[in-house]
Amino acid sequence: MKENIALIGLMGSGKTTIGRHLLEVLDMNFVDIDKVIEERELKTIPQIFEELGEEYFRKIEAKVIAEESAKNNLIISTGGGCVLNPVNLENLKKKSYIIFLDPDSECILERVKFGKNRPLLNNIENLLEKINELDKERRKLYESVADLQIKMKKESQIIDVIDLIKKSYINS
Ligand code: S3P
């Protein structure tokens, strides 16, 4: 069994929500990489993108992932784009059981449509098209690194997802 659990998947795939629920059933700590970045920079993610640019964000993201993934007993909620940098994948793989949360795009749309904290989705006219585009670009990367892939539909119950993750992790 690996030391940590890392949750990967597109924006709105439920990484933070599921990570927090996992805390209730596993004796582990929780870290949200985006939150660590915000605390460190004293800016929100949209502010970082707007004032310092995506490239800057990706550098900090890689640094924070390197640090957090080296710790122990953690459930790590990552940002959806972390898989774009192979260094992040290598760092996560070292000590984490990696779970790809994979809801269908309709579910993702429901989760992201009212949010304002995702710069890559702001001012996008056709959100579903954008989600499908990101999915196409990133799916292979998520799949290549995942120890477990969880497909979800609107009807999926969070309690079943948590149960599946707990069992798979403990038996890994
Ligand atoms: C991003 C996802 C976001 C955040 C940033 C970029 C991406 O995290 O890291 O806005 O490139 O997919 P969530 O997946 O937690 O929304």
Side-chain angles (χ1 to χ4, degrees):
M1 199 163 95
K2 293 228 172 153
E3 262 305 323
N4 300 322
I5 292 179
L7 300 170
I8 62 169
L10 283 180
M11 293 176 262
S13 58
K15 294 166 296 209
T16 304
T17 311
I18 289 174
R20 291 198 180 281
H21 279 282
L22 275 176
L23 270 186
E24 293 162 17
V25 296
L26 293 170
D27 188 19
M28 296 171 84
N29 298 310
F30 175 77
V31 66
D32 182 332
I33 298 296
D34 280 348
K35 284 279 163 294
V36 178
I37 296 171
E38 291 187 326
E39 280 160 18
R40 198 167 288 195
E41 293 293 309
L42 298 174
K43 289 181 199 294
T44 64
I45 301 294
Q47 281 171 336
I48 299 172
F49 269 69
E50 202 176 299
E51 295 169 22
L52 303 161
E54 180 171 351
E55 206 179 313
Y56 180 87
F57 170 81
R58 296 295 175 202
K59 275 193 196 143
I60 305 286
E61 181 181 46
K63 214 167 150 212
V64 172
I65 288 178
E67 289 169 13
E68 296 299 325
S69 62
K71 295 180 182 169
N72 295 331
N73 206 37
L74 273 185
I75 299 163
I76 305 170
S77 172
T78 63
C82 78
V83 291
L84 298 171
N85 181 348
V87 175
N88 294 337
L89 301 185
E90 285 313 310
N91 280 329
L92 288 170
K93 267 196 276 188
K94 283 182 203 157
K95 291 171 83 166
S96 302
Y97 182 69
I98 302 183
I99 303 171
F100 170 25
L101 298 180
D102 187 17
D104 59 31
S105 42
E106 296 288 342
C107 290
I108 293 196
L109 182 63
E110 283 306 307
R111 291 222 186 88
V112 301
K113 70 180 176 196
F114 297 117
K116 287 258 171 287
N117 60 342
R118 295 187 168 102
L120 294 182
L121 300 181
N122 284 348
N123 307 315
I124 299 287
E125 254 181 46
N126 189 335
L127 263 183
L128 190 58
E129 198 175 277
K130 179 69 183 176
I131 292 164
N132 287 331
E133 188 187 299
L134 288 169
D135 182 83
K136 207 168 157 207
E137 193 181 298
R138 297 175 178 178
R139 173 164 293 276
K140 280 214 163 58
L141 294 166
Y142 294 133
E143 287 179 345
S144 70
V145 77
D147 296 298
L148 175 69
Q149 176 174 0
I150 304 186
K151 290 196 179 283
M152 287 174 273
K153 290 185 166 44
K154 243 197 191 136
E155 318 77 78
S156 304
Q157 298 294 320
I158 194 150
I159 187 159
D160 297 331
V161 174
I162 300 301
D163 207 42
L164 173 62
I165 293 178
K166 186 182 169 188
K167 284 195 184 122
S168 311
Y169 174 57
I170 289 173
N171 294 322
S172 67

